[in-house]
Each structure stands twice: as structure tokens, then as C-alpha cells.
Amino acid sequence: MSNNIAYTPLHQTDSNESSSSREYGSSSQLGDHVAWLLRFFRRSRVAMLIVPVALLGALGLAHVFVGQAKVSESGLDTATRNYPLVAHDSSRYLNGAAMNSFRENLKKDAKYVTAWNYAGLTNDFMVHCNIIYLGMISSRIPIIPPFVPLSQHIGNGGFLQDFSEFFDLPGLRAALNHPILEWSQVKKAPYAGNTANLKDVVEEPLGCWSNWELIGPNGDIVYTELAPFLRLDVSYTPTPEYIGLTGKPGYHTSLWGLVSILYPDGRAKALRQKESVPSIGASQNQALLPDDQLACFDVLYFSGVREEWECGPEATPETCFLPLSAYSDQVKKIQSDLLALHGPKSPLSKVTHVFVASDEKNNEWWGSIRQQGWYFIDHGSENIAEVHGSWYPSLIDAYILARGAGFVGTRQSTMSLVAARRVQDWNGGPTRMAQSR
């Protein structure tokens, strides 16, 4: 999540789609492919942690949830459901357990797609959504990278964590009726700091597509921690300008445009545009064309289906750092929304508890939260990261926010964006975004 980004709608879905994946009005912020994944957050794992903890305060700009939580029964608990896993068992799409070489583990008659991580927990989640969606519309098998603990987002000392540590991957495979793999299933690497049995892991060259060379501010290559972690010697080919989301150079790429270059004719056309260049620190200094069997992209975060959704450098401190009055105004409106939605006899029409999550460090600011009579968890004093790991303050935030009867967020925040969709989709709750007056 960043302090200087904003969103407009990604994708408008068909009105005949199921409620689990449809947009919620013209102000909806995420595409239906993202909504699918919102349903499979691993609730049971986190719930056990938050019960004995006090209240909360981490990650991003201010987020407020109003509420008593409503528990969704949308199939998130694998312990209570019998998923038809056989059709998408990973063994059907790999030659075995994680190997010293990814190439040796890929089935010769299958094609795959992957991408690298980008920024914090929520942004990585959105990348994972796009990888899965791209795999589905290109008839490829997605390989999901782990969450990477970047110091500016999660903090130092954290380990890479698999997507399936936090999300119900078996349930997601079954619901989407599509295979989904993780890199930890494909190639050996020092997950959780474990370096045993890695002496025979080979460094492998891999050619990838670079969206960042097309849309980045300097036209350069984005660095990824995953390449050395997986022992990959990566070289990049810029994606062509015509796959921009608007059909011309811009700040976002089109997912359907990217699909076009994964097929033979589109690939040949794209490769006529520009030449491949070696990646940063490529030990073998090979300039490889993008791999056809394992299609990979450096950045899929700035990608969409219908229109550009992040404003990037256009955001200002005034739009990101709002006074508390902007949130308290929206809280009152959410309370009115709940009354209109549920009627005066419902307990949900009388919600008064407000929970706040923010990465604000200023104690005076938190003092003003107390004066409002609102609640929060102080992750630092509760030693959440030290006891459970550096990802868990973010996960606890996301978990609690998703349980709200209603939600107020910050328009420029990825965490607000996803949390709002969870409240809408899981709880049927109203959501609003605070903005400057």
C-alpha cells in the first residue's frame, strides 16, 4: 500500500454474474477477477490470533470500520467442506515435488504464467489476482510467487510466505475450476530461512516480459528479490506499446493485451518491436527472448481490464492525509446507511463501535482517536510481529476490517480498496471513502 495512489474502476462485470464476483455499483473499485480471490482469505488461521489481543494500529492510511461483524458462510473453511481436489491436484501439472531446477519440474505439454511481487501485502495480493486471471484467460497454469517482506512495507526480519499460508488455495482452485501452483511447489529455495538441501539448486536463465520498461517513469527494469531467491538469471524484453490499457502508452497495461502476446502470432508481432536486454546483475549476461513455456512478467500490479485505476504521481498529500473530521463525517453517513439498509429494529442499525487501523506513528494522533471513543490495536505494545511474524499486523488489520458491518476508507489506499470489497461481498455492508472537503 502506498501513500500516493488512487483508484478508479478496473472492470465492469455482466449483470448476470453471481453475487460473489459482481461489481457493486458504478463506484466499484475492483474487477470481478479480484472479487473471486477476496472470498478465499484464510480466516480461521488469523481468527485465533486476534481473540486475545487488545485493539489495533498498523499499515497504511486511516481505515475505519463500523461495527459488529457479520460472519460470511461463503465456503472459506476447508475443514468443513469437501472440495473436489483431484482434478486440480498439483501433481498433475508438475513432474514431482519442488526440484533443483524449475525447468525439470514443468510438464512438457503444459504452459505456465508467473510474475514478480510488487510492494506490500495488499499490492502483492492484487498481483496474485492478476496472475491467476491472466492464467485463466490464456489457458495457462498460474504460478504464484510468495509474499516478500520489503522493509519499507512489512519491516526487516520477515520471511517470504506462500500465498497458501494466508489464503484457502484448495478452495480457490475448486471454485475457479482451474489449477494454481506456487513457486515453492516448483523449485527449491530457502523458504522460512531454511537453507538445508539447497546445495544442488541450479541457477537458471529465464527470459521474461517487462511491463515496467513500458510504463515505468524512467523506462528501466524493476528489481525483484525473487530472482536471486529462486536462483533465476532473468533477462527482459519490453512489452509493446500497443498493449497499454488505453491502446497507447500509459501508466497501465491491458491484461487482455498481455494475453495476446502469449499466443504465437501476438508473440511474433511483439518481438518485432524491441530487442531483449540483460537484467540487472545477470550473472551469465544472456539476453534471452521471453520464455514461451513459462511466460513471466516483471510487474502485473499496474494492469487492468477496462480503464486505468491508479493515479500514480497525480496524488497529493492533501488527498492522502485527511483530518479525522473527514472520517467522522463518513462514519455518521455509514450509520445512516446501516439504518436504511437494516431497519430500526435490527441491531445493525444501532452500531456505535468504530475500529481504526493506520500506520500513523504520531502518539498525539492516536490520542485523538481515543478522544473520539474509537478503538484500535497497538501492534507494537502487543508484540504481534515479534511473536507471530512480521506479516501478522497486516493480516490482523485485514481480518478485522473485513468483519465490519460497514467500512470507511481512504481513497488512495490499496488496503482500503480491498477491505471495502470484502465488507461489500462478505457482509453486504455499506462502504464509503473519505475525501477532502
Side-chain angles (χ1 to χ4, degrees):
M1 182 172 45
S2 172
N3 288 358
N4 58 354
I5 51 181
Y7 297 88
T8 55
L10 249 182
H11 181 52
Q12 197 72 25
T13 65
D14 192 286
S15 60
N16 294 325
E17 288 183 315
S18 67
S19 61
S20 65
S21 62
R22 68 173 181 266
E23 296 284 334
Y24 289 84
S26 60
S27 62
S28 172
Q29 304 289 306
L30 282 177
D32 57 327
H33 58 292
V34 178
W36 292 337
L37 276 85
L38 296 183
R39 298 175 64 85
F40 293 91
F41 186 70
R42 285 191 81 111
R43 296 183 173 188
S44 57
R45 185 184 300 269
V46 184
M48 297 176 63
L49 294 174
I50 65 173
V51 171
V53 182
L55 296 165
L56 156 48
L59 252 182
L61 308 168
H63 316 277
V64 180
F65 107 54
V66 182
Q68 297 169 347
K70 292 175 65 180
V71 179
S72 171
E73 299 295 337
S74 55
L76 298 163
D77 187 358
T78 55
T80 61
R81 292 180 178 267
N82 296 317
Y83 291 119
L85 301 180
V86 175
H88 302 307
D89 188 292
S90 299
S91 64
R92 297 168 62 95
Y93 305 100
L94 295 171
N95 291 321
M99 296 184 178
N100 294 320
S101 162
F102 82 84
R103 188 72 64 188
E104 293 180 2
N105 210 357
L106 302 184
K107 294 283 189 179
K108 292 184 178 180
D109 59 349
K111 291 191 175 183
Y112 307 79
V113 63
T114 193
W116 311 137
N117 61 297
Y118 186 84
L121 180 74
T122 306
N123 291 9
D124 276 0
F125 166 80
M126 296 169 73
V127 170
H128 296 153
C129 293
N130 284 339
I131 296 172
I132 293 172
Y133 185 69
L134 192 58
M136 295 181 69
I137 62 178
S138 65
S139 299
R140 288 175 176 260
I141 301 167
I143 303 179
I144 304 300
F147 290 100
V148 178
L150 302 181
S151 60
Q152 64 268 39
H153 291 276
I154 298 299
N156 295 317
F159 292 119
L160 284 81
Q161 293 284 357
D162 276 340
F163 180 84
S164 59
E165 278 292 304
F166 308 138
F167 293 87
D168 176 7
L169 190 51
L172 182 60
R173 292 182 183 119
L176 299 182
N177 194 31
H178 197 86
I180 303 171
L181 301 174
E182 297 183 276
W183 267 104
S184 61
Q185 298 174 284
V186 179
K187 185 175 182 179
K188 294 179 181 178
Y191 290 95
N194 185 2
T195 59
N197 302 316
L198 297 180
K199 63 182 180 63
D200 295 324
V201 174
V202 297
E203 183 173 87
E204 300 173 275
L206 178 64
C208 294
W209 293 101
S210 173
N211 285 328
W212 194 248
E213 289 188 72
L214 175 67
I215 65 175
N218 301 315
D220 54 5
I221 298 169
V222 66
Y223 174 77
T224 173
E225 295 80 359
L226 285 175
F229 178 80
L230 295 168
R231 297 208 65 190
L232 299 176
D233 180 21
V234 185
S235 55
Y236 293 100
T237 297
T239 49
E241 292 183 352
Y242 57 79
I243 58 88
L245 193 54
T246 60
K248 55 186 178 181
Y251 203 58
H252 293 71
T253 57
S254 163
L255 287 169
W256 282 97
L258 296 178
V259 168
S260 72
I261 66 177
L262 300 185
Y263 288 97
D265 290 347
R267 173 184 169 87
K269 179 182 178 181
L271 291 177
R272 289 194 293 268
Q273 306 297 310
K274 295 181 180 181
E275 294 183 356
S276 170
V277 295
S279 68
I280 298 173
S283 61
Q284 298 182 40
N285 201 34
Q286 297 184 73
L288 299 178
L289 294 178
D291 198 89
D292 183 45
Q293 183 182 23
L294 174 57
C296 60
F297 296 88
D298 57 352
V299 175
L300 280 184
Y301 174 72
F302 300 97
S303 297
V305 174
R306 188 168 63 90
E307 61 185 38
E308 295 191 355
W309 53 272
E310 179 173 315
C311 71
E314 296 175 7
T316 65
E318 289 75 21
T319 61
C320 296
F321 302 103
L322 302 175
L324 284 183
S325 59
Y327 296 95
S328 59
D329 289 347
Q330 296 301 320
V331 167
K332 293 174 183 176
K333 292 179 181 179
I334 287 289
Q335 289 169 328
S336 297
D337 293 341
L338 288 168
L339 175 61
L341 180 64
H342 297 287
K345 295 183 179 180
S346 170
L348 290 174
S349 68
K350 303 176 179 64
V351 171
T352 58
H353 291 82
V354 177
F355 174 90
V356 180
S358 172
D359 61 359
E360 177 60 60
K361 306 300 183 184
N362 188 299
N363 288 331
E364 292 184 6
W365 188 88
W366 285 110
S368 64
I369 295 296
R370 291 188 181 93
Q371 291 175 5
Q372 291 270 2
W374 295 350
Y375 301 92
F376 62 92
I377 291 178
D378 186 338
H379 287 295
S381 64
E382 296 293 338
N383 297 317
I384 300 297
E386 292 77 6
V387 174
H388 300 291
S390 58
W391 292 106
Y392 278 86
S394 305
L395 285 166
I396 292 171
D397 285 6
Y399 179 84
I400 297 178
L401 294 173
R403 304 296 231 187
F407 178 83
V408 175
T410 303
R411 192 171 299 278
Q412 320 298 341
S413 163
T414 54
M415 193 171 187
S416 288
L417 172 67
V418 175
R421 278 303 294 266
R422 287 176 174 144
V423 170
Q424 290 172 329
D425 188 50
W426 293 353
N427 309 335
T431 66
R432 291 177 177 270
M433 294 293 172
Q435 53 190 335
S436 57
R437 297 175 178 177

